[in-house]
Every structure is written in C-alpha cells, then in structure tokens.
Amino acid sequence: PVYEMIIGIYGDNEVGGLVCSEELGKQIMKEFVDNWQERNPNLELIGAYYHADERGKPHVHLDYIPIAHGYQKGMKTQTGLVKALGEQDFEKKGKLTAQMQWEKRENEYLEKLCREKD
C-alpha cells in the first residue's frame, strides 16, 4: 500500500501565526521533504511532487510506503502502517491512534520550520 500526505504553506497567508511568502514556503517545504527519511525511517518516501497549479496554494504531495520488520508469518519485512509507526515509537493511546500522533508530530515539525524562518 502507498500512503500520501499533502503539506502546504500558502503564499502570503498566515501560517502558525506567521506570514510566509510563496518562495519562502517553497523553501520550507523542500526542507521538510529533505528531512523526511531522518524523521521517518520506517516510511519509505517514494515520491515528492511540488504543485503550484492552484493560485496562491502551493503544496507538496508526499507518497510513502510503510516498512515494518519482525513479522512471524510470511516475509520478515512487510508493509504495515501501524507496525511501521510502532517501530518509530508511536503507539495507540486511548482514542489517539499511532497515525494521529505521527501526523501531529509532522505538523508540529512543519510549524517549527516556519518559525525558524521568521
């Protein structure tokens, strides 16, 4: 299975309490993509596509495959989002799924990149 995340920093709009130009937003999104594998060793990035086709709304599509290890049946390495995120220390906590916690961390990282450019 392939999963997708879309990130965007919209030109001259407020992002995390900051105003960000389209060019600066593009630089920040590039840095987010460049550091993906370091943050997400179990989510193999197979594509990152920048789009500026919607006026004022440049964004990046990130396609990734979750890779997990230690399966007892079949191949030892398989695709599996929950197990892959578990290997990255994201476990279900009450109503918060591993994916919800991971998405929150990714959003906070994007906001951090924006704040560093302020």
Side-chain angles (χ1 to χ4, degrees), residues 58-91:
H59 56 281
V60 175
H61 293 252
L62 298 142
D63 295 338
Y64 59 93
I65 297 174
I67 306 295
H69 309 88
Y71 285 91
Q72 300 301 312
K73 294 183 181 179
M75 297 174 62
K76 298 288 182 200
T77 301
Q78 299 181 29
T79 61
L81 185 61
V82 172
K83 190 164 175 62
L85 290 174
E87 288 181 36
Q88 292 185 192
D89 296 323
F90 293 100
E91 301 286 338

Side-chain angles (χ1 to χ4, degrees), residues 8 12 39 41 47 64 77 89 93-94 108-109 117:
D12 299 325
R39 289 188 322 278
Y64 59 93
T77 301
D89 296 323
K93 293 177 185 167
E108 288 171 350
Y109 179 71
K117 304 296 183 193

Side-chain angles (χ1 to χ4, degrees), residues 1-17:
V2 175
Y3 292 82
E4 182 174 69
M5 171 183 252
I6 300 172
I7 62 166
I9 299 174
Y10 305 124
D12 299 325
N13 288 323
E14 189 173 318
V15 177

Side-chain angles (χ1 to χ4, degrees), residues 34-47:
D34 289 346
N35 295 319
W36 174 274
Q37 216 60 65
E38 183 180 325
R39 289 188 322 278
N40 298 294
N42 292 77
L43 304 178
E44 186 68 34
L45 190 63
I46 61 169

